[in-house]
Amino acid sequence: FYMQQLWVIEDSLPQYCIIDTSRLSTYPKVFNRVGFYCWHDYESNPELIEIAYAKSEEETWIVAGKIRLDRTSEKQYFKIKEIPVT
């Protein structure tokens, strides 16, 4: 499972993106890694990303990781706290 493209253009911070995995045809046992690829090395690329999850909209978000990205146009992968899939 991966998103091919996400374009964030808002001027204000923080910005966020919600990824709904409820319609995946197959699930891993857990989600425990994330990857990012900024196809250009812009000063405006994300620098700090917080990964959080909740099982429903009513639940409190649980932080699985805070990631500091390098300013690069290379792929970057990070291990995060396991997000259970149920």
Side-chain angles (χ1 to χ4, degrees):
F1 166 75
Y2 69 97
M3 294 181 65
Q4 281 189 310
Q5 187 170 348
L6 176 66
W7 190 261
V8 182
I9 58 171
E10 294 293 325
D11 290 333
S12 62
L13 294 173
Q15 299 175 3
Y16 65 91
C17 168
I18 296 175
I19 301 172
D20 180 358
T21 61
S22 65
R23 294 189 180 130
L24 290 177
S25 58
T26 60
Y27 288 91
K29 292 181 181 177
V30 296
F31 290 103
N32 60 8
R33 296 182 187 271
V34 295
F36 297 93
Y37 170 63
C38 297
W39 53 93
H40 294 291
D41 182 6
Y42 294 139
E43 283 187 34
S44 59
N45 284 356
E47 187 176 318
L48 180 64
I49 297 176
E50 180 177 275
I51 306 294
Y53 68 94
K55 292 182 183 178
S56 70
E57 291 181 30
E58 295 80 28
E59 290 191 23
T60 303
W61 291 86
I62 300 168
V63 175
K66 292 184 180 181
I67 299 165
R68 185 162 301 279
L69 295 177
D70 293 330
R71 190 171 154 217
T72 180
S73 58
E74 300 288 322
K75 294 177 183 174
Q76 299 178 65
Y77 298 96
F78 302 90
K79 185 158 179 59
I80 59 171
K81 176 181 168 184
E82 289 187 350
I83 300 174
V85 178
T86 55

